[in-house]
Amino acid sequence: MPSGRLLLGAVAGDIIGSVYEHYRTKRIDFHLFPQGSRFTDDTVMTIANADWLLNGGDLARIMQRYGNRYPNAGYGGMFRQWLQAEQPQPYHSFGNGSAMRVSPIGWAFSTLEETSDAASRSASVTHNHPEGIKGAQAVAASIFLARQGETKQKIRTYVETTFGYDLHRTCDEIRPSYRFDSRCQGSVPESIIAFLESTDYESAVRLAVSLGGDADTMGAIAGSIAEAYYGKVPEAICQETLQRLPSEFIDILERFSGKFWNQFRQT
């Protein structure tokens, strides 16, 4: 069983990548928690989705509530406008915001069909473009399969077959020419590849960040799958992460873990 709180894989990946979104690195041996490391919109919206799964309600309103409570978390322009809307409507986005927040859904359901449907619902409140939905579904499915104890090859095959992503590349092949890309189709496959190449949680996040792209989101995606696959986030990383979170986020993480712990595969 995982030793910490579920979802810390995504949250820690976000915090680790936060500085390197602006000061991009192509190195793997970067400092994990340099000065300025903080949670971003990835974490805020992950917590909002966890709250939705715990308590029900209108996901759009829940996301607005959290987003407006933490207005300086680094939201994109269109999403910032959406947060202020009286009647928020999806805006046909294919950005990776749908994938960065979806990790709670990977833990909360007992079938791939339910997981895929919930991932689509989570994405569609903002990112109702087919690529935005697909990115969220691919990440949620990867987490679901990982926590079920499936092999990396099974995860790779399922994602490639179902979503059409090319996962037969390596980080070393991607890294030299890769640039910042906030589209689902330009960052979700690369983040999954970082997980597939990893040997443990930390290496998954390091590989994702080292590609030199949208580092916080790619760290969150790779980290969320790695947590499910490897069974835990290292304790030292957990402690650094928790120190950077408000108490209400920690409360949601604890309640989510308490409710969905039984979904985790026996190890």
Side-chain angles (χ1 to χ4, degrees):
M1 288 290 193
S3 59
R5 297 165 178 85
L6 299 182
L7 310 182
L8 274 182
V11 175
D14 171 42
I15 293 173
I16 290 168
S18 61
V19 169
Y20 301 105
E21 180 184 12
H22 304 289
Y23 301 97
R24 296 183 188 111
T25 183
K26 296 284 187 174
R27 298 176 62 94
I28 296 175
D29 60 346
F30 57 84
H31 183 36
L32 287 180
F33 293 96
Q35 184 176 2
S37 299
R38 66 184 185 97
F39 70 85
T40 77
D41 54 335
D42 302 52
T43 292
V44 178
M45 290 302 126
T46 295
I47 296 295
N49 273 256
D51 189 323
W52 173 55
L53 292 169
L54 281 169
N55 300 309
D58 184 331
L59 176 58
R61 295 302 187 191
I62 295 168
M63 288 169 57
Q64 283 188 313
R65 186 172 74 244
Y66 277 97
N68 288 312
R69 194 176 301 164
Y70 297 93
N72 300 314
Y75 309 104
M78 290 293 292
F79 189 78
R80 189 177 294 278
Q81 293 179 36
W82 182 89
L83 287 175
Q84 303 301 321
E86 290 189 10
Q87 298 295 328
Q89 299 296 317
Y91 46 92
H92 207 56
S93 174
F94 47 75
N96 57 21
S98 60
M100 77 186 189
R101 67 187 186 228
V102 79
S103 61
I105 288 164
W107 291 99
F109 298 93
S110 57
T111 68
L112 265 175
E113 291 74 19
E114 292 173 304
T115 300
S116 181
D117 177 68
S120 176
R121 286 186 283 137
S122 170
S124 294
V125 295
T126 51
H127 294 55
N128 59 332
H129 187 283
E131 292 290 346
I133 294 171
K134 184 169 79 171
Q137 290 176 322
V139 175
S142 296
I143 294 169
F144 177 89
L145 292 170
R147 70 172 171 83
Q148 292 290 320
E150 297 293 354
T151 65
K152 288 183 178 181
Q153 184 55 50
K154 174 68 178 289
I155 295 169
R156 186 198 310 271
T157 299
Y158 181 83
V159 171
E160 285 192 323
T161 302
T162 306
F163 303 107
Y165 290 152
D166 176 11
L167 303 183
H168 277 80
R169 297 170 288 157
T170 68
C171 288
D172 284 346
E173 291 169 343
I174 295 166
R175 190 178 293 109
S177 61
Y178 190 72
R179 298 293 181 267
F180 184 93
D181 192 334
S182 63
R183 302 171 303 153
C184 273
Q185 57 269 43
S187 58
V188 170
E190 290 76 9
S191 302
I192 297 174
I193 288 168
F195 153 70
L196 291 170
E197 278 194 29
S198 67
T199 55
D200 55 19
Y201 174 83
E202 182 176 328
S203 69
V205 175
R206 286 187 178 279
L207 284 167
V209 171
S210 77
L211 294 177
D214 191 358
D216 56 338
T217 293
M218 295 176 75
I221 293 171
S224 68
I225 306 168
E227 176 187 30
Y229 184 83
Y230 295 112
K232 63 180 180 180
V233 176
E235 185 60 27
I237 293 177
C238 288
Q239 292 306 314
E240 289 283 355
T241 299
L242 292 170
Q243 291 173 18
R244 292 167 170 80
L245 297 180
S247 58
E248 69 170 329
F249 287 12
I250 296 172
D251 176 65
I252 291 291
L253 292 173
E254 290 176 342
R255 290 170 53 206
F256 187 89
S257 296
K259 182 170 183 177
F260 296 109
W261 195 268
N262 65 317
Q263 298 281 13
F264 193 83
R265 62 183 172 91
Q266 297 291 328
T267 56

